[in-house]
Amino acid sequence: MLSVENLHIRFRTGDGLVHAVNDVSFSVDAGSRLAVVGESGSGKSQIALAIMGLLAKNAEVEGRIMWDGQDLLATSNREMNRIRAREIGIIFQDPMSSLNPYMTIERQLTEIVEHHEGMSRRAARARALEVMDAVRIPDAKARLRAYPHEFSGGMRQRIVIAMALMCQPKLILADEPTTALDVTVQAQIMQLLQDVQSDLGTSVVLITHDLGVVAGFCEDVLVLYGGRVMETAKTMALFDQPGHPYTRGLLRAVPNIEDPSDALTAIPGSPPNQHRFPVACPFAPRCADVVDTCRETLPQLRDGRACLRPIEELT
Ligand SMILES: Nc1ncnc2c1ncn2[C@@H]1O[C@H](COP(=O)(O)OP(=O)(O)O)[C@@H](O)[C@H]1O
Ligand SMILES: [Mg+2]
């Protein structure tokens, strides 16, 4: 349904080029859930923004983003507006950035379909009640008259998901949708996204820095580091036998719910310099399994892993 092919994103800055996304390819099937995981700065949000046609002005993009037979990178603004309104929805980390504090929930929900689908006020209201139900907001009728500040953080994030659902998109890009929420509410929102996917068949790309929220939600995972794909796998297989030293590091940084006393180990070192296009493994300076060739060659993705070391030899 969506296929990202050899995507490169560079930013022109006063300091030279920043290579934010380097040759990333992946695809999302209809009705599936894919997680895009990586530390802060790894390029996750820029990939989502590129798909939506919302990159900053100083960005240079290369590659193809195929959606329904058309390349979104070569699509007119006008057509992108239509696709954003009706086919691909995006949810950001901070619900308040998507909500207008001065508008009732009803207006925020109905405005979208009245504007983009020419729906009558009445039909729009009926749709709003439906999606409020779909995102499990109790007493929806009364709540439509409320303003965003009258809701808790978790409820606001549900409203934002409801807004994304108003136009019945085929794909939702959820960019760290639970990062601002506490753990219990986080789990509820993940469950909700899962329900939405199975009830409505909407595909979901979940963007997160936390491998912990991926388990049980996405069937596929793409691990990014320094704007490159380090590993792609079925979630179960990835947790079972992570194939890249970076993925192993990320897994060690996931809190163990069964044994909270289990120490978390952050990956030592700092993120890669993105002022040059990588010519060697970007993770090499932080890698426990590094050998000389890792600093000289750029590992290509083979069998779902971009690592020169055999999997059996990893620590
Ligand atoms: N407009 C911009 N100009 C220069 N660099 C940018 C711009 N937008 C993002 N970047 C850089 O691109 C890289 C990837 O950013 P991003 O996709 O937001 O990371 P994350 O994985 O945390 O979502 C970061 O190094 C960021 O500083
Ligand atoms: Mg981000």
Side-chain angles (χ1 to χ4, degrees), residues 52-87:
M52 300 300 282
L54 295 173
L55 283 171
K57 289 241 163 18
N58 62 332
E60 290 174 3
V61 205
E62 210 183 286
R64 299 207 302 173
I65 300 179
M66 299 306 292
W67 172 258
D68 229 5
Q70 65 182 326
D71 183 356
L72 297 185
L73 294 178
T75 298
S76 70
N77 274 337
R78 198 195 151 105
E79 172 68 359
M80 278 314 293
N81 268 331
R82 191 192 66 80
I83 289 171
R84 279 196 290 269
R86 309 191 53 170
E87 299 189 1

Side-chain angles (χ1 to χ4, degrees), residues 82 116 123 152 158 176 222 224 259 301 312:
R82 191 192 66 80
H116 289 285
S152 65
R158 282 170 199 263
E176 313 253 13
L222 181 90
L224 281 183
D259 181 9
L301 202 60
E312 320 74 61

Side-chain angles (χ1 to χ4, degrees), residues 200-235:
L200 310 176
T202 316
S203 305
V204 180
V205 174
L206 172 73
I207 292 174
T208 177
H209 65 278
D210 180 1
L211 251 183
V213 308
V214 171
F217 177 73
C218 293
E219 49 263 299
D220 296 281
V221 191
L222 181 90
V223 179
L224 281 183
Y225 184 79
R228 276 185 78 82
V229 179
M230 296 289 111
E231 181 165 12
T232 111
K234 294 276 165 212
T235 309

Side-chain angles (χ1 to χ4, degrees), residues 38-46 49 93 175-176 207-208:
E39 287 169 302
S40 168
S42 55
K44 308 181 297 293
S45 293
Q46 303 313 315
L49 293 173
Q93 172 177 340
D175 190 355
E176 313 253 13
I207 292 174
T208 177

Side-chain angles (χ1 to χ4, degrees), residues 169-185:
K170 297 182 191 132
L171 172 67
I172 289 184
L173 308 176
D175 190 355
E176 313 253 13
T178 63
T179 304
L181 306 172
D182 71 55
V183 179
T184 324
V185 182

Side-chain angles (χ1 to χ4, degrees), residues 146-197:
Y147 288 85
H149 73 264
E150 299 176 60
F151 288 79
S152 65
M155 279 294 167
R156 277 182 209 144
Q157 195 56 297
R158 282 170 199 263
I159 304 274
V160 173
I161 297 172
M163 280 168 71
L165 291 177
M166 278 303 279
C167 298
Q168 302 169 307
K170 297 182 191 132
L171 172 67
I172 289 184
L173 308 176
D175 190 355
E176 313 253 13
T178 63
T179 304
L181 306 172
D182 71 55
V183 179
T184 324
V185 182
Q186 232 176 50
Q188 291 164 359
I189 297 292
M190 292 312 294
Q191 181 61 49
L192 173 63
L193 282 171
Q194 188 161 348
D195 294 349
V196 161
Q197 193 274 315

